[in-house]
Amino acid sequence: MIGRLQGDVVEKHPPYLLLDVQGVGYELEAPMSTFYELPGCGENVVLYTHLLVREDAQTLYAFRHVQDRSLFRNLLKVNGVGAKIALVILSGMDVRAFTECVQRGDVDALMRLPGVGRRTAERLIVDMRNRMEDGASLQAVGESRHGSTSVHNPVGDAVSALVSLGYKPGDASRMVSEVDTENRSSEDIIRLALKTRLA
């Protein structure tokens, strides 16, 4: 199991990134909460990882904080929740916000995330509340999220990332068009679009 990587950021195309670790390029998939905190291309970063092995693929997921990875792993244990939904959740809210959602039983807040219907939201609240009561670690992440500069078309990258998160292309374009994109990185645009959508 690969649990941690340290290397230089080579490419950022949310939700995918390429990390150079001593000459070996690792293709990683990450939630937007991680992209918000990535340094610029060419800079060094430490990421916590989770390797998911299926019959047809082996995917390495990356997280800026160990708490994010812990939540991701707990979400995968919930019946009907796969890696895609887990990434959507971590892209739409941080660990603290998700924990508060579960504690309040806020089904509506979870349903604002793409791909999360009422049944899934209710199941998440019940299962994750039980895990927290059983002592599962879902510590809140207190650090702020910082964007970084994208070397690609920030608006186009933002729309593509939102589509990858489950939004329809038309909805993704509309979400991006409703925020101020001038002089912003794709990560900042996505963050603003998600914040507006989930408000």
Side-chain angles (χ1 to χ4, degrees):
M1 177 73 74
I2 301 171
R4 179 180 176 276
L5 291 172
Q6 180 173 355
D8 298 330
V9 178
V10 178
E11 295 178 4
K12 294 189 288 183
H13 302 286
Y16 304 100
L17 68 106
L18 184 64
L19 193 71
D20 183 331
V21 181
Q22 297 182 350
V24 179
Y26 286 86
E27 290 184 349
L28 308 167
E29 194 166 345
M32 288 313 304
S33 55
T34 290
F35 274 92
Y36 297 151
E37 296 192 28
L38 284 179
C41 288
E43 295 185 47
N44 197 266
V45 68
V46 173
L47 296 170
Y48 296 93
T49 59
H50 177 82
L51 179 63
L52 190 60
V53 179
R54 298 196 200 101
E55 290 182 8
D56 58 343
Q58 295 184 24
T59 308
L60 196 57
Y61 296 92
F63 307 91
R64 191 70 182 90
H65 301 281
V66 70
Q67 295 95 334
D68 292 345
R69 184 182 65 181
S70 176
L71 176 55
F72 180 80
R73 288 175 169 173
N74 276 292
L75 288 169
L76 292 182
K77 296 174 184 175
V78 177
N79 186 34
V81 175
K84 184 173 182 179
I85 293 294
L87 285 183
V88 165
I89 291 169
L90 279 162
S91 292
M93 55 182 65
D94 61 20
V95 177
R96 175 179 290 134
F98 179 80
T99 302
E100 290 173 355
C101 243
V102 170
Q103 291 171 341
R104 290 194 314 265
D106 195 342
V107 171
D108 291 337
L110 290 173
M111 287 176 61
R112 292 189 195 107
L113 299 168
V116 179
R118 179 166 294 278
R119 284 187 180 179
T120 301
E122 290 172 347
R123 190 181 304 122
L124 278 165
I125 287 171
V126 172
D127 285 11
M128 294 304 292
R129 186 179 285 160
N130 289 339
R131 292 183 193 284
M132 285 188 275
E133 288 173 356
D134 290 341
S137 176
L138 292 177
Q139 298 173 6
V141 180
E143 294 100 328
S144 61
R145 308 293 186 184
H146 301 289
S148 54
T149 303
S150 174
V151 297
H152 305 283
N153 173 7
V155 173
D157 287 349
V159 172
S160 296
L162 290 169
V163 170
S164 296
L165 289 172
Y167 289 99
K168 294 177 181 177
D171 291 338
S173 297
R174 188 162 43 254
M175 288 166 65
V176 169
S177 70
E178 291 174 355
V179 302
D180 179 13
T181 60
E182 188 174 356
N183 297 323
R184 295 188 185 277
S185 67
S186 59
E187 290 84 2
D188 280 340
I189 295 170
I190 295 163
R191 174 170 32 191
L192 288 171
L194 287 171
K195 185 177 180 181
T196 301
R197 175 73 177 225
L198 300 174

